[in-house]
Amino acid sequence: MPLLSALRRLSAKPTLQDWPGLIEAYRPWLPVSDRTPVITLREGATPLIPAPAIAARVGRGVKVFLKYDGLNPTGSFKDRGMTMAVSKAREAGAEAVICASTGNTSAAAAAYAKRGGMRAFVLIPDGYVAQGKLAQALMYGAEVLAVKGNFDRALAIVREVADNYPVTLVNSLNPYRLQGQKTAAFEVVDALGEAPDWLCIPMGNAGNISAYWMGFQEYRKAGHSQRLPRMMGFQASGSAPLVLGHTVEQPDTIATAIRIGNPANRDKALAVREQSNGAFHAVTDQEILEAYKLLGREEGVFCEPASAASVAGLLQQAAEVPAGATVVCVLTGNGLKDPGTAIDHSDGSFHAGLAPEVDVVAKVMGF
Ligand SMILES: *Cc1c(COP(=O)(O)O)cnc(C)c1O
């Protein structure tokens, strides 16, 4: 197509048609070399979607965008970290990877490990992983071990297993994960032409907020932006160790992806808050569900409950946003991951058992 080739000539950045995945797109920024076998599913390049209905609720000329990372190949931002972690594991000769997961890490680890010809072991908290995520791990051929304990316990086990057996840990303690994930901040700045004033993001293990901050800092240092955002992190009120300032022994929330009581990246997250003049707040499951439904109903964007915590947090803190500011809310995962929560909580109207007749259907439609 002439338009595409013209665009290609005009811009140093690849166009949509030939997006090579984030390692190739941002190679100079990443710890890879000619010897790194790049294992990619063309992750990254996710859309930054204007959110006028949310902006209207915040008011005062505030502009709101959604970084919809649920459009990555396995449906969450975890793919950004996993392309790096698995490529580096392969480079080092690993034949198996292991992770503990509330679901999305296991889906991503399985997809990338299998694509790279490796085994994938995933430990999940038995009974607390959304159905879509479990389906993915199984379809990608992971060896799934469901343990009778929460995420924090599962992580403690995989750390020890990785220390003692020939398997590579790909949780966000793996530094390559955060390197891959920082590219989301690059994409936000590339799209806006500047860093936002606020970056609203859900926190579980707090790897992603740390990765975004690293990305924003590196881009500013290189002159791609003039400013840095305030990093606004949100946790579910039943699992809010970073807000409370202490470990939560029995974390509880409908947002299973952030049901974490002992965050692996606690110290990094606290440093991000301080350096960015940011703030951490808790949002209730009720607030999360309201934002989750609002996103679907008024913005046409279906994310998973944990992701909606970023929007719930923005709405909760709306009075604190400076007039005219630009806010980016990170939507970390796709709504299809967790159909159960959607069906249980949606306000959508569902009329069951209708007779298959035009007049019956028209009557229900209100005609
Ligand atoms: C992993 C995950 C999070 C939390 O990210 P952290 O890096 O652990 O803070 C939030 N939302 C979704 C959908 C996730 O999969």
Side-chain angles (χ1 to χ4, degrees):
M1 280 169 71
L3 178 61
L4 266 182
S5 43
L7 274 173
R8 267 185 210 129
R9 254 178 279 117
L10 277 174
S11 84
K13 281 254 155 47
T15 57
L16 277 182
Q17 291 309 307
D18 56 13
W19 176 259
L22 62 83
I23 292 181
E24 293 305 344
Y26 293 108
R27 181 175 271 275
W29 303 85
L30 295 170
V32 289
S33 73
D34 297 347
R35 291 180 309 282
T36 312
V38 175
I39 297 164
T40 180
L41 292 162
R42 309 287 169 118
E43 58 297 310
T46 57
L48 190 67
I49 305 172
I54 294 161
R57 280 173 170 76
V58 178
R60 293 173 299 114
V62 171
K63 290 178 281 299
V64 179
F65 295 88
L66 309 169
K67 180 61 172 164
Y68 191 23
D69 248 359
L71 287 188
N72 275 299
T74 80
S76 85
F77 77 85
K78 300 298 198 300
D79 293 346
R80 294 182 182 276
M82 217 51 86
T83 185
M84 274 298 302
V86 173
S87 296
K88 293 303 284 188
R90 196 83 196 104
E91 180 179 350
E95 288 174 3
V97 302
I98 189 168
C99 64
S101 177
T102 59
N104 284 332
T105 299
S106 63
Y112 284 83
K114 288 298 166 166
R115 196 167 172 94
M118 286 175 265
R119 291 176 77 182
F121 297 98
V122 306
L123 263 72
I124 58 171
D126 203 355
Y128 288 95
V129 167
Q131 201 178 17
K133 304 177 189 183
L134 186 56
Q136 288 180 290
L138 294 169
M139 283 303 290
Y140 294 134
E143 293 160 70
V144 179
L145 299 101
V147 297
K148 290 185 184 143
N150 60 26
F151 170 86
D152 303 299
R153 182 70 199 129
L155 181 61
I157 294 170
V158 300
R159 289 175 82 154
E160 240 186 279
V161 171
D163 280 346
N164 291 299
Y165 300 94
V167 289
T168 301
L169 182 72
V170 291
N171 278 101
S172 60
L173 295 158
N174 177 317
Y176 298 119
R177 282 274 306 279
L178 302 196
Q179 288 291 324
Q181 287 171 213
K182 77 184 179 188
T183 61
F186 297 166
E187 290 178 16
V188 167
V189 175
D190 286 343
L192 294 174
E194 180 52 274
D197 297 287
W198 276 28
L199 192 283
C200 297
I201 186 167
M203 295 186 298
N205 275 308
N208 211 25
I209 192 171
S210 309
Y212 264 90
W213 182 239
M214 180 160 55
F216 284 125
Q217 284 182 301
E218 289 183 12
Y219 244 33
R220 193 187 65 163
K221 213 167 167 191
H224 291 303
S225 69
Q226 302 307 308
R227 60 179 187 228
L228 289 166
R230 286 188 74 190
M231 301 296 284
M232 307 298 289
F234 299 99
Q235 297 200 290
S237 54
S239 15
L242 294 167
V243 178
L244 298 170
H246 60 76
T247 298
V248 174
E249 293 299 335
Q250 304 286 345
D252 188 31
T253 169
I254 193 164
T256 50
I258 52 172
R259 189 174 170 274
I260 289 167
N262 186 16
N265 299 291
R266 176 193 311 263
D267 296 344
K268 281 201 182 77
L270 297 178
V272 169
R273 179 171 64 183
E274 175 161 342
Q275 290 167 18
S276 74
N277 187 30
F280 296 167
H281 296 281
V283 287
T284 64
D285 278 8
Q286 196 56 41
E287 289 173 303
I288 288 173
L289 286 171
E290 290 300 328
Y292 173 63
K293 292 189 282 187
L294 171 65
L295 279 160
R297 204 174 55 225
E298 295 191 34
E299 302 290 9
V301 177
F302 183 25
C303 65
E304 61 178 287
S307 308
S310 63
V311 170
L314 170 61
L315 294 174
Q316 185 197 70
Q317 298 297 317
E320 305 299 320
V321 188
T326 297
V327 178
V328 170
C329 293
V330 180
L331 298 186
T332 44
N334 195 301
L336 292 170
K337 295 271 193 177
D338 189 357
T341 302
I343 290 167
D344 289 350
H345 294 278
S346 100
D347 300 327
S349 65
F350 180 73
H351 305 275
L354 300 182
E357 305 294 343
V358 172
D359 53 349
V360 171
V361 170
K363 188 157 176 242
V364 173
M365 291 168 74
F367 297 120

